[in-house]
Amino acid sequence: MKGPANEAERFDWLRLIRSENVGPETFHTLIRRFGTARAALDALPDLAAAGGGRRPIAVAEPGRVERELAAAERIGAHFVHYGTAAYPALLYEIGGPPPVLAVRGDTSIASRPAIAVVGSRQASAAGRTIARTWSEAFGAEGWAVVSGLALGIDAEAHRAALATGTVAVVAGGVDRPSPEANVDLCDRIAEEGAVVSEMPLGTEPFSRLFVRRNRLIAGLSRGVVVVEAAARSGALYTADFAATAGREVFAVPGSPLDPRAAGCLKLLKEGATLATEARDVLVQLSAMDAPMLPGFSEDEPLPEDAPAGAVGEVHAALSLTPVSVDTLVRLTRLPTATVIATLVELELAGHAEREPNGMVRAAVPG
Protein backbone atom coordinates (compact mmCIF):
# COMPACT_ATOMS: atom_id res chain seq x y z
CA MET A 1 0.00 0.00 0.00
CA LYS A 2 1.40 3.34 -1.05
CA GLY A 3 1.42 6.38 1.18
CA PRO A 4 -0.46 9.64 0.60
CA ALA A 5 0.78 11.56 -2.44
CA ASN A 6 -0.10 15.12 -1.43
CA GLU A 7 -1.23 17.36 1.40
CA ALA A 8 -4.93 16.70 0.81
CA GLU A 9 -4.40 12.94 1.05
CA ARG A 10 -2.30 13.32 4.20
CA PHE A 11 -5.14 15.30 5.74
CA ASP A 12 -7.66 12.60 4.80
CA TRP A 13 -5.42 9.88 6.25
CA LEU A 14 -5.34 11.71 9.56
CA ARG A 15 -9.13 12.15 9.48
CA LEU A 16 -9.65 8.45 8.82
CA ILE A 17 -7.35 7.14 11.58
CA ARG A 18 -8.87 9.64 14.03
CA SER A 19 -12.43 8.46 13.29
CA GLU A 20 -14.34 6.34 15.80
CA ASN A 21 -13.43 2.61 15.92
CA VAL A 22 -10.81 2.95 13.17
CA GLY A 23 -7.58 1.33 14.35
CA PRO A 24 -4.50 0.51 12.27
CA GLU A 25 -5.77 -2.86 11.00
CA THR A 26 -9.14 -1.39 10.06
CA PHE A 27 -7.47 1.60 8.40
CA HIS A 28 -5.32 -0.56 6.14
CA THR A 29 -8.29 -2.78 5.25
CA LEU A 30 -10.38 0.27 4.35
CA ILE A 31 -7.65 1.64 2.07
CA ARG A 32 -7.35 -1.75 0.36
CA ARG A 33 -11.11 -1.89 -0.02
CA PHE A 34 -11.84 1.65 -1.22
CA GLY A 35 -8.53 2.86 -2.64
CA THR A 36 -8.38 6.24 -0.92
CA ALA A 37 -8.97 7.63 2.55
CA ARG A 38 -11.56 10.06 1.18
CA ALA A 39 -13.62 7.21 -0.28
CA ALA A 40 -13.29 5.26 2.97
CA LEU A 41 -14.45 8.28 4.99
CA ASP A 42 -17.54 8.55 2.79
CA ALA A 43 -18.27 4.84 3.33
CA LEU A 44 -17.89 4.75 7.13
CA PRO A 45 -21.54 5.51 8.05
CA ASP A 46 -22.93 2.79 5.76
CA LEU A 47 -20.31 0.26 6.90
CA ALA A 48 -21.08 0.86 10.56
CA ALA A 49 -24.80 0.49 9.86
CA ALA A 50 -24.19 -2.76 7.97
CA GLY A 51 -22.30 -4.08 10.98
CA GLY A 52 -25.28 -3.42 13.24
CA GLY A 53 -24.24 -0.10 14.72
CA ARG A 54 -26.86 1.26 17.09
CA ARG A 55 -25.99 4.92 16.42
CA PRO A 56 -24.23 6.92 13.71
CA ILE A 57 -20.45 6.50 13.74
CA ALA A 58 -18.41 9.57 14.69
CA VAL A 59 -16.35 10.42 11.61
CA ALA A 60 -13.53 12.83 12.48
CA GLU A 61 -14.51 16.32 11.37
CA PRO A 62 -11.99 18.40 9.37
CA GLY A 63 -11.90 20.88 12.25
CA ARG A 64 -10.58 18.24 14.62
CA VAL A 65 -7.68 17.46 12.31
CA GLU A 66 -6.98 21.15 11.77
CA ARG A 67 -6.77 21.64 15.55
CA GLU A 68 -4.40 18.70 15.91
CA LEU A 69 -2.18 20.01 13.12
CA ALA A 70 -2.11 23.42 14.80
CA ALA A 71 -1.25 21.82 18.16
CA ALA A 72 1.56 19.87 16.52
CA GLU A 73 2.97 23.03 14.97
CA ARG A 74 2.96 24.79 18.35
CA ILE A 75 5.18 22.12 19.93
CA GLY A 76 7.32 21.44 16.88
CA ALA A 77 5.84 18.01 16.15
CA HIS A 78 5.18 16.59 12.71
CA PHE A 79 3.47 13.57 11.17
CA VAL A 80 5.06 10.67 9.31
CA HIS A 81 2.79 8.59 7.08
CA TYR A 82 2.98 4.91 6.19
CA GLY A 83 4.43 4.38 2.72
CA THR A 84 6.57 7.52 2.70
CA ALA A 85 10.37 7.78 2.74
CA ALA A 86 10.51 8.94 6.37
CA TYR A 87 8.47 6.02 7.74
CA PRO A 88 10.62 3.60 9.82
CA ALA A 89 11.21 0.51 7.65
CA LEU A 90 11.02 -1.98 10.53
CA LEU A 91 7.42 -0.99 11.28
CA TYR A 92 6.30 -2.45 7.95
CA GLU A 93 7.06 -5.88 9.42
CA ILE A 94 4.66 -5.70 12.37
CA GLY A 95 0.95 -6.47 12.39
CA GLY A 96 -1.17 -3.35 11.95
CA PRO A 97 1.60 -0.78 11.44
CA PRO A 98 0.46 2.72 12.42
CA PRO A 99 -0.81 4.62 9.37
CA VAL A 100 0.39 7.89 10.90
CA LEU A 101 3.07 8.59 13.52
CA ALA A 102 3.38 11.84 15.44
CA VAL A 103 7.02 12.75 16.05
CA ARG A 104 8.79 15.36 18.13
CA GLY A 105 12.42 15.57 17.14
CA ASP A 106 14.53 13.94 14.45
CA THR A 107 12.51 11.35 12.54
CA SER A 108 15.63 9.79 11.01
CA ILE A 109 16.71 8.46 14.43
CA ALA A 110 13.61 6.23 14.48
CA SER A 111 14.81 4.69 11.20
CA ARG A 112 18.30 3.85 12.44
CA PRO A 113 19.25 0.31 13.51
CA ALA A 114 18.00 0.20 17.09
CA ILE A 115 17.99 -1.90 20.23
CA ALA A 116 15.17 -1.63 22.77
CA VAL A 117 16.12 -1.61 26.45
CA VAL A 118 13.17 -2.13 28.79
CA GLY A 119 12.44 -3.28 32.30
CA SER A 120 11.14 -2.58 35.76
CA ARG A 121 9.99 0.82 36.97
CA GLN A 122 11.15 -0.19 40.46
CA ALA A 123 14.60 -1.12 39.22
CA SER A 124 17.48 -2.11 41.49
CA ALA A 125 20.78 -0.24 41.53
CA ALA A 126 22.34 -3.13 39.61
CA GLY A 127 19.57 -3.07 37.01
CA ARG A 128 19.95 0.68 36.51
CA THR A 129 23.69 0.26 36.08
CA ILE A 130 23.19 -2.40 33.42
CA ALA A 131 20.65 -0.28 31.55
CA ARG A 132 22.97 2.72 31.61
CA THR A 133 26.27 1.03 30.71
CA TRP A 134 24.79 -1.25 28.06
CA SER A 135 22.92 1.63 26.41
CA GLU A 136 26.15 3.61 26.31
CA ALA A 137 27.86 0.61 24.69
CA PHE A 138 25.08 0.24 22.12
CA GLY A 139 25.30 3.93 21.25
CA ALA A 140 29.07 3.76 20.90
CA GLU A 141 28.60 1.03 18.27
CA GLY A 142 26.14 3.15 16.28
CA TRP A 143 22.86 1.70 17.53
CA ALA A 144 19.95 3.90 18.59
CA VAL A 145 18.29 2.96 21.89
CA VAL A 146 14.50 2.67 22.03
CA SER A 147 12.45 2.60 25.22
CA GLY A 148 9.16 3.72 26.72
CA LEU A 149 10.04 6.75 28.90
CA ALA A 150 8.95 4.95 32.09
CA LEU A 151 10.72 5.32 35.40
CA GLY A 152 13.58 2.96 36.24
CA ILE A 153 15.19 0.99 33.41
CA ASP A 154 13.60 3.00 30.58
CA ALA A 155 14.75 6.36 31.92
CA GLU A 156 18.30 5.09 32.54
CA ALA A 157 18.51 3.78 28.99
CA HIS A 158 17.27 7.04 27.48
CA ARG A 159 19.65 9.23 29.50
CA ALA A 160 22.64 7.06 28.62
CA ALA A 161 21.84 7.27 24.90
CA LEU A 162 20.97 10.96 24.61
CA ALA A 163 24.31 11.78 23.02
CA THR A 164 24.23 8.90 20.53
CA GLY A 165 20.53 8.63 19.67
CA THR A 166 17.44 7.54 21.54
CA VAL A 167 13.75 7.14 20.72
CA ALA A 168 11.02 7.43 23.36
CA VAL A 169 7.74 5.78 22.41
CA VAL A 170 4.96 7.26 24.53
CA ALA A 171 1.52 5.81 25.28
CA GLY A 172 -0.43 9.06 24.99
CA GLY A 173 0.02 11.99 22.65
CA VAL A 174 3.54 13.33 22.10
CA ASP A 175 2.38 16.40 24.02
CA ARG A 176 1.28 14.28 27.02
CA PRO A 177 4.42 12.47 28.24
CA SER A 178 4.12 10.28 31.32
CA PRO A 179 5.13 10.06 34.14
CA GLU A 180 5.40 13.67 35.24
CA ALA A 181 8.85 12.97 36.70
CA ASN A 182 10.15 12.33 33.16
CA VAL A 183 8.70 15.38 31.41
CA ASP A 184 12.07 17.16 31.41
CA LEU A 185 13.73 14.00 30.06
CA CYS A 186 11.08 13.84 27.33
CA ASP A 187 11.88 17.43 26.32
CA ARG A 188 15.58 16.60 26.12
CA ILE A 189 14.86 13.56 23.97
CA ALA A 190 12.73 15.73 21.66
CA GLU A 191 15.70 18.09 21.28
CA GLU A 192 18.40 15.43 20.79
CA GLY A 193 16.49 12.33 19.66
CA ALA A 194 12.87 11.54 18.85
CA VAL A 195 9.60 11.16 20.77
CA VAL A 196 7.07 9.02 18.89
CA SER A 197 3.40 8.10 19.28
CA GLU A 198 0.58 6.74 17.15
CA MET A 199 -2.04 8.41 19.35
CA PRO A 200 -3.64 11.82 18.69
CA LEU A 201 -2.10 14.85 20.33
CA GLY A 202 -3.86 15.59 23.59
CA THR A 203 -4.43 11.90 24.42
CA GLU A 204 -3.82 11.12 28.08
CA PRO A 205 -2.16 7.72 28.56
CA PHE A 206 -4.10 4.88 30.18
CA SER A 207 -3.36 1.19 30.73
CA ARG A 208 -4.40 -0.24 27.38
CA LEU A 209 -2.39 2.37 25.50
CA PHE A 210 0.80 1.22 27.24
CA VAL A 211 0.36 -2.19 25.62
CA ARG A 212 0.01 -0.52 22.21
CA ARG A 213 3.14 1.51 22.98
CA ASN A 214 5.07 -1.68 23.79
CA ARG A 215 4.18 -3.04 20.35
CA LEU A 216 5.88 -0.03 18.75
CA ILE A 217 8.94 -0.26 21.00
CA ALA A 218 9.44 -3.82 19.72
CA GLY A 219 8.57 -2.83 16.17
CA LEU A 220 11.20 -0.09 15.94
CA SER A 221 13.98 -2.37 17.21
CA ARG A 222 16.09 -5.22 15.80
CA GLY A 223 16.23 -6.72 19.28
CA VAL A 224 14.73 -6.20 22.75
CA VAL A 225 16.79 -6.40 25.94
CA VAL A 226 14.80 -7.01 29.13
CA VAL A 227 16.98 -5.99 32.07
CA GLU A 228 14.63 -6.53 35.01
CA ALA A 229 10.97 -7.48 34.95
CA ALA A 230 8.49 -8.83 37.45
CA ALA A 231 6.31 -11.80 36.56
CA ARG A 232 3.54 -9.53 35.21
CA SER A 233 5.71 -6.67 33.96
CA GLY A 234 4.70 -4.70 30.88
CA ALA A 235 8.20 -5.37 29.55
CA LEU A 236 7.07 -8.94 28.90
CA TYR A 237 4.47 -7.62 26.46
CA THR A 238 7.28 -5.89 24.60
CA ALA A 239 9.22 -9.16 24.51
CA ASP A 240 6.14 -11.03 23.22
CA PHE A 241 5.59 -8.49 20.46
CA ALA A 242 9.28 -8.70 19.53
CA ALA A 243 9.16 -12.50 19.30
CA THR A 244 5.99 -12.37 17.18
CA ALA A 245 7.68 -9.90 14.80
CA GLY A 246 10.72 -12.16 14.47
CA ARG A 247 13.03 -9.93 16.51
CA GLU A 248 15.66 -11.21 18.91
CA VAL A 249 14.72 -11.20 22.61
CA PHE A 250 17.49 -10.96 25.21
CA ALA A 251 17.04 -11.41 28.96
CA VAL A 252 19.44 -10.52 31.74
CA PRO A 253 19.46 -13.23 34.41
CA GLY A 254 18.92 -12.43 38.08
CA SER A 255 18.42 -14.11 41.41
CA PRO A 256 15.34 -16.34 41.75
CA LEU A 257 14.87 -14.67 45.14
CA ASP A 258 14.40 -11.22 43.54
CA PRO A 259 10.83 -10.64 42.20
CA ARG A 260 12.32 -8.24 39.65
CA ALA A 261 14.11 -11.20 38.04
CA ALA A 262 11.02 -13.40 37.66
CA GLY A 263 10.08 -12.08 34.23
CA CYS A 264 13.59 -12.43 32.82
CA LEU A 265 13.92 -15.96 34.15
CA LYS A 266 10.57 -16.82 32.55
CA LEU A 267 11.79 -15.46 29.20
CA LEU A 268 14.97 -17.50 29.45
CA LYS A 269 12.96 -20.67 30.08
CA GLU A 270 10.90 -19.84 26.98
CA GLY A 271 13.97 -19.49 24.77
CA ALA A 272 15.14 -15.89 25.05
CA THR A 273 18.86 -15.33 24.50
CA LEU A 274 20.88 -15.08 27.69
CA ALA A 275 22.79 -11.79 27.93
CA THR A 276 25.33 -11.03 30.64
CA GLU A 277 27.15 -8.21 28.86
CA ALA A 278 26.39 -5.71 26.10
CA ARG A 279 28.69 -7.59 23.73
CA ASP A 280 26.32 -10.60 23.79
CA VAL A 281 23.61 -8.42 22.26
CA LEU A 282 25.86 -6.60 19.79
CA VAL A 283 27.45 -9.77 18.40
CA GLN A 284 24.08 -11.49 17.93
CA LEU A 285 22.37 -8.53 16.25
CA SER A 286 25.33 -7.59 14.06
CA ALA A 287 25.17 -11.04 12.49
CA MET A 288 21.54 -10.56 11.45
CA ASP A 289 20.52 -9.32 8.02
CA ALA A 290 19.09 -5.82 7.68
CA PRO A 291 15.36 -5.64 6.88
CA MET A 292 14.28 -5.36 3.28
CA LEU A 293 12.49 -2.17 2.32
CA PRO A 294 8.86 -2.75 1.33
CA GLY A 295 7.95 -2.93 -2.32
CA PHE A 296 4.32 -1.90 -1.72
CA SER A 297 2.94 -4.77 -3.77
CA GLU A 298 -0.77 -4.74 -4.35
CA ASP A 299 -2.72 -6.79 -1.79
CA GLU A 300 -5.61 -9.10 -2.59
CA PRO A 301 -8.60 -6.87 -3.37
CA LEU A 302 -11.39 -6.88 -0.84
CA PRO A 303 -15.11 -6.86 -1.61
CA GLU A 304 -16.75 -3.48 -1.12
CA ASP A 305 -19.73 -5.15 0.55
CA ALA A 306 -19.71 -8.23 2.76
CA PRO A 307 -22.03 -11.01 1.45
CA ALA A 308 -25.44 -11.30 3.07
CA GLY A 309 -25.28 -13.31 6.27
CA ALA A 310 -21.50 -12.99 6.69
CA VAL A 311 -21.81 -10.33 9.39
CA GLY A 312 -24.00 -12.55 11.52
CA GLU A 313 -21.76 -15.61 11.05
CA VAL A 314 -18.57 -13.80 12.01
CA HIS A 315 -20.24 -11.99 14.92
CA ALA A 316 -21.58 -15.29 16.26
CA ALA A 317 -18.08 -16.79 16.11
CA LEU A 318 -16.61 -14.03 18.29
CA SER A 319 -16.37 -14.11 22.06
CA LEU A 320 -14.48 -12.15 24.70
CA THR A 321 -11.51 -14.46 24.12
CA PRO A 322 -9.29 -13.02 21.35
CA VAL A 323 -8.78 -15.20 18.26
CA SER A 324 -6.88 -14.78 15.01
CA VAL A 325 -8.45 -13.97 11.66
CA ASP A 326 -7.27 -17.38 10.44
CA THR A 327 -9.25 -19.03 13.24
CA LEU A 328 -12.39 -17.15 12.19
CA VAL A 329 -11.84 -18.24 8.58
CA ARG A 330 -11.63 -21.88 9.67
CA LEU A 331 -14.67 -21.64 11.95
CA THR A 332 -16.95 -19.82 9.52
CA ARG A 333 -15.58 -21.44 6.33
CA LEU A 334 -15.86 -18.04 4.67
CA PRO A 335 -13.17 -16.68 2.31
CA THR A 336 -10.42 -14.73 4.07
CA ALA A 337 -11.27 -11.54 2.18
CA THR A 338 -14.90 -11.83 3.28
CA VAL A 339 -13.96 -12.30 6.94
CA ILE A 340 -11.61 -9.30 6.81
CA ALA A 341 -14.24 -7.10 5.17
CA THR A 342 -16.90 -8.26 7.65
CA LEU A 343 -14.67 -7.56 10.65
CA VAL A 344 -14.33 -3.96 9.50
CA GLU A 345 -18.10 -3.54 9.60
CA LEU A 346 -18.31 -5.15 13.05
CA GLU A 347 -15.45 -3.00 14.39
CA LEU A 348 -16.96 0.20 13.05
CA ALA A 349 -20.30 -0.78 14.57
CA GLY A 350 -18.62 -1.30 17.94
CA HIS A 351 -19.29 -5.06 18.04
CA ALA A 352 -15.68 -6.24 17.61
CA GLU A 353 -12.34 -5.00 18.90
CA ARG A 354 -8.75 -5.54 17.82
CA GLU A 355 -6.03 -6.43 20.27
CA PRO A 356 -2.60 -4.77 19.78
CA ASN A 357 -1.26 -8.15 18.56
CA GLY A 358 -3.84 -8.29 15.76
CA MET A 359 -6.20 -10.76 17.45
CA VAL A 360 -9.89 -9.89 17.45
CA ARG A 361 -12.64 -10.40 20.03
CA ALA A 362 -16.19 -9.38 20.71
CA ALA A 363 -16.47 -5.88 22.13
CA VAL A 364 -16.98 -5.68 25.87
CA PRO A 365 -20.63 -4.71 26.47
CA GLY A 366 -20.83 -1.07 27.52
Side-chain angles (χ1 to χ4, degrees), residues 13-27:
W13 273 46
L14 203 52
R15 271 192 74 196
L16 182 58
I17 193 59
R18 299 304 188 236
S19 293
E20 184 182 20
N21 296 336
V22 178
E25 293 275 8
T26 303
F27 179 98

PDB file of all heavy atoms in Angstrom, residues 13-27:
ATOM      1  N   TRP A  13      -5.930  11.007   5.467  1.00  0.00           N
ATOM      2  CA  TRP A  13      -5.420   9.881   6.247  1.00  0.00           C
ATOM      3  C   TRP A  13      -5.571  10.151   7.744  1.00  0.00           C
ATOM      4  O   TRP A  13      -5.976   9.281   8.506  1.00  0.00           O
ATOM      5  CB  TRP A  13      -3.943   9.642   5.908  1.00  0.00           C
ATOM      6  CG  TRP A  13      -3.721   8.739   4.742  1.00  0.00           C
ATOM      7  CD1 TRP A  13      -4.360   8.773   3.535  1.00  0.00           C
ATOM      8  CD2 TRP A  13      -2.789   7.654   4.672  1.00  0.00           C
ATOM      9  NE1 TRP A  13      -3.875   7.791   2.717  1.00  0.00           N
ATOM     10  CE2 TRP A  13      -2.910   7.090   3.381  1.00  0.00           C
ATOM     11  CE3 TRP A  13      -1.859   7.128   5.552  1.00  0.00           C
ATOM     12  CZ2 TRP A  13      -2.131   6.010   2.961  1.00  0.00           C
ATOM     13  CZ3 TRP A  13      -1.083   6.051   5.139  1.00  0.00           C
ATOM     14  CH2 TRP A  13      -1.226   5.495   3.870  1.00  0.00           C
ATOM     15  N   LEU A  14      -5.235  11.371   8.150  1.00  0.00           N
ATOM     16  CA  LEU A  14      -5.340  11.710   9.564  1.00  0.00           C
ATOM     17  C   LEU A  14      -6.796  11.709  10.009  1.00  0.00           C
ATOM     18  O   LEU A  14      -7.120  11.246  11.110  1.00  0.00           O
ATOM     19  CB  LEU A  14      -4.683  13.070   9.809  1.00  0.00           C
ATOM     20  CG  LEU A  14      -4.204  13.376  11.228  1.00  0.00           C
ATOM     21  CD1 LEU A  14      -3.314  12.278  11.771  1.00  0.00           C
ATOM     22  CD2 LEU A  14      -3.475  14.716  11.263  1.00  0.00           C
ATOM     23  N   ARG A  15      -7.696  12.197   9.156  1.00  0.00           N
ATOM     24  CA  ARG A  15      -9.125  12.150   9.484  1.00  0.00           C
ATOM     25  C   ARG A  15      -9.597  10.708   9.666  1.00  0.00           C
ATOM     26  O   ARG A  15     -10.338  10.396  10.608  1.00  0.00           O
ATOM     27  CB  ARG A  15      -9.958  12.779   8.367  1.00  0.00           C
ATOM     28  CG  ARG A  15     -10.194  14.270   8.470  1.00  0.00           C
ATOM     29  CD  ARG A  15     -11.265  14.698   7.478  1.00  0.00           C
ATOM     30  NE  ARG A  15     -12.595  14.281   7.907  1.00  0.00           N
ATOM     31  CZ  ARG A  15     -13.659  14.248   7.103  1.00  0.00           C
ATOM     32  NH1 ARG A  15     -13.541  14.561   5.818  1.00  0.00           N
ATOM     33  NH2 ARG A  15     -14.834  13.873   7.577  1.00  0.00           N
ATOM     34  N   LEU A  16      -9.168   9.832   8.768  1.00  0.00           N
ATOM     35  CA  LEU A  16      -9.647   8.450   8.824  1.00  0.00           C
ATOM     36  C   LEU A  16      -9.148   7.735  10.073  1.00  0.00           C
ATOM     37  O   LEU A  16      -9.931   7.086  10.777  1.00  0.00           O
ATOM     38  CB  LEU A  16      -9.199   7.696   7.566  1.00  0.00           C
ATOM     39  CG  LEU A  16      -9.672   6.238   7.443  1.00  0.00           C
ATOM     40  CD1 LEU A  16     -11.197   6.163   7.491  1.00  0.00           C
ATOM     41  CD2 LEU A  16      -9.149   5.620   6.145  1.00  0.00           C
ATOM     42  N   ILE A  17      -7.877   7.859  10.407  1.00  0.00           N
ATOM     43  CA  ILE A  17      -7.351   7.140  11.575  1.00  0.00           C
ATOM     44  C   ILE A  17      -7.851   7.758  12.872  1.00  0.00           C
ATOM     45  O   ILE A  17      -7.845   7.100  13.918  1.00  0.00           O
ATOM     46  CB  ILE A  17      -5.805   7.076  11.546  1.00  0.00           C
ATOM     47  CG1 ILE A  17      -5.278   6.074  12.573  1.00  0.00           C
ATOM     48  CG2 ILE A  17      -5.212   8.461  11.766  1.00  0.00           C
ATOM     49  CD1 ILE A  17      -5.752   4.670  12.406  1.00  0.00           C
ATOM     50  N   ARG A  18      -8.314   9.002  12.831  1.00  0.00           N
ATOM     51  CA  ARG A  18      -8.868   9.641  14.028  1.00  0.00           C
ATOM     52  C   ARG A  18     -10.373   9.415  14.159  1.00  0.00           C
ATOM     53  O   ARG A  18     -10.986   9.895  15.113  1.00  0.00           O
ATOM     54  CB  ARG A  18      -8.588  11.150  14.009  1.00  0.00           C
ATOM     55  CG  ARG A  18      -7.116  11.558  14.005  1.00  0.00           C
ATOM     56  CD  ARG A  18      -6.344  10.981  15.157  1.00  0.00           C
ATOM     57  NE  ARG A  18      -4.992  11.521  15.257  1.00  0.00           N
ATOM     58  CZ  ARG A  18      -3.886  10.785  15.270  1.00  0.00           C
ATOM     59  NH1 ARG A  18      -3.972   9.453  15.167  1.00  0.00           N
ATOM     60  NH2 ARG A  18      -2.698  11.347  15.383  1.00  0.00           N
ATOM     61  N   SER A  19     -10.983   8.720  13.217  1.00  0.00           N
ATOM     62  CA  SER A  19     -12.428   8.461  13.292  1.00  0.00           C
ATOM     63  C   SER A  19     -12.721   7.324  14.272  1.00  0.00           C
ATOM     64  O   SER A  19     -11.874   6.476  14.544  1.00  0.00           O
ATOM     65  CB  SER A  19     -12.979   8.118  11.903  1.00  0.00           C
ATOM     66  OG  SER A  19     -12.908   9.244  11.042  1.00  0.00           O
ATOM     67  N   GLU A  20     -13.929   7.312  14.779  1.00  0.00           N
ATOM     68  CA  GLU A  20     -14.336   6.337  15.798  1.00  0.00           C
ATOM     69  C   GLU A  20     -14.175   4.904  15.300  1.00  0.00           C
ATOM     70  O   GLU A  20     -14.565   4.573  14.172  1.00  0.00           O
ATOM     71  CB  GLU A  20     -15.795   6.587  16.183  1.00  0.00           C
ATOM     72  CG  GLU A  20     -16.308   5.697  17.300  1.00  0.00           C
ATOM     73  CD  GLU A  20     -17.767   5.944  17.609  1.00  0.00           C
ATOM     74  OE1 GLU A  20     -18.487   6.507  16.743  1.00  0.00           O
ATOM     75  OE2 GLU A  20     -18.212   5.585  18.723  1.00  0.00           O
ATOM     76  N   ASN A  21     -13.578   4.054  16.157  1.00  0.00           N
ATOM     77  CA  ASN A  21     -13.426   2.614  15.916  1.00  0.00           C
ATOM     78  C   ASN A  21     -12.520   2.271  14.739  1.00  0.00           C
ATOM     79  O   ASN A  21     -12.506   1.121  14.283  1.00  0.00           O
ATOM     80  CB  ASN A  21     -14.801   1.944  15.699  1.00  0.00           C
ATOM     81  CG  ASN A  21     -15.672   2.017  16.930  1.00  0.00           C
ATOM     82  OD1 ASN A  21     -15.186   2.150  18.052  1.00  0.00           O
ATOM     83  ND2 ASN A  21     -16.987   1.963  16.736  1.00  0.00           N
ATOM     84  N   VAL A  22     -11.757   3.226  14.246  1.00  0.00           N
ATOM     85  CA  VAL A  22     -10.808   2.946  13.169  1.00  0.00           C
ATOM     86  C   VAL A  22      -9.409   2.819  13.765  1.00  0.00           C
ATOM     87  O   VAL A  22      -8.788   3.812  14.128  1.00  0.00           O
ATOM     88  CB  VAL A  22     -10.827   4.041  12.077  1.00  0.00           C
ATOM     89  CG1 VAL A  22      -9.785   3.722  11.001  1.00  0.00           C
ATOM     90  CG2 VAL A  22     -12.212   4.161  11.457  1.00  0.00           C
ATOM     91  N   GLY A  23      -8.942   1.580  13.910  1.00  0.00           N
ATOM     92  CA  GLY A  23      -7.581   1.328  14.352  1.00  0.00           C
ATOM     93  C   GLY A  23      -6.697   1.037  13.156  1.00  0.00           C
ATOM     94  O   GLY A  23      -7.145   1.065  12.006  1.00  0.00           O
ATOM     95  N   PRO A  24      -5.421   0.738  13.389  1.00  0.00           N
ATOM     96  CA  PRO A  24      -4.503   0.509  12.269  1.00  0.00           C
ATOM     97  C   PRO A  24      -4.939  -0.608  11.321  1.00  0.00           C
ATOM     98  O   PRO A  24      -4.897  -0.445  10.097  1.00  0.00           O
ATOM     99  CB  PRO A  24      -3.186   0.153  12.973  1.00  0.00           C
ATOM    100  CG  PRO A  24      -3.262   0.851  14.288  1.00  0.00           C
ATOM    101  CD  PRO A  24      -4.704   0.766  14.691  1.00  0.00           C
ATOM    102  N   GLU A  25      -5.361  -1.758  11.864  1.00  0.00           N
ATOM    103  CA  GLU A  25      -5.769  -2.862  10.997  1.00  0.00           C
ATOM    104  C   GLU A  25      -6.974  -2.459  10.148  1.00  0.00           C
ATOM    105  O   GLU A  25      -7.022  -2.724   8.939  1.00  0.00           O
ATOM    106  CB  GLU A  25      -6.115  -4.093  11.841  1.00  0.00           C
ATOM    107  CG  GLU A  25      -4.946  -4.716  12.572  1.00  0.00           C
ATOM    108  CD  GLU A  25      -4.183  -5.701  11.706  1.00  0.00           C
ATOM    109  OE1 GLU A  25      -4.485  -5.771  10.499  1.00  0.00           O
ATOM    110  OE2 GLU A  25      -3.299  -6.389  12.235  1.00  0.00           O
ATOM    111  N   THR A  26      -7.949  -1.823  10.788  1.00  0.00           N
ATOM    112  CA  THR A  26      -9.144  -1.392  10.064  1.00  0.00           C
ATOM    113  C   THR A  26      -8.793  -0.359   9.013  1.00  0.00           C
ATOM    114  O   THR A  26      -9.308  -0.389   7.887  1.00  0.00           O
ATOM    115  CB  THR A  26     -10.178  -0.820  11.046  1.00  0.00           C
ATOM    116  OG1 THR A  26     -10.476  -1.811  12.030  1.00  0.00           O
ATOM    117  CG2 THR A  26     -11.452  -0.409  10.332  1.00  0.00           C
ATOM    118  N   PHE A  27      -7.900   0.565   9.353  1.00  0.00           N
ATOM    119  CA  PHE A  27      -7.471   1.601   8.404  1.00  0.00           C
ATOM    120  C   PHE A  27      -6.914   0.953   7.142  1.00  0.00           C
ATOM    121  O   PHE A  27      -7.316   1.298   6.016  1.00  0.00           O
ATOM    122  CB  PHE A  27      -6.414   2.493   9.050  1.00  0.00           C
ATOM    123  CG  PHE A  27      -5.895   3.574   8.148  1.00  0.00           C
ATOM    124  CD1 PHE A  27      -6.391   4.864   8.231  1.00  0.00           C
ATOM    125  CD2 PHE A  27      -4.896   3.318   7.209  1.00  0.00           C
ATOM    126  CE1 PHE A  27      -5.916   5.860   7.392  1.00  0.00           C
ATOM    127  CE2 PHE A  27      -4.417   4.294   6.372  1.00  0.00           C
ATOM    128  CZ  PHE A  27      -4.926   5.577   6.460  1.00  0.00           C
TER     129      PHE A  27
END
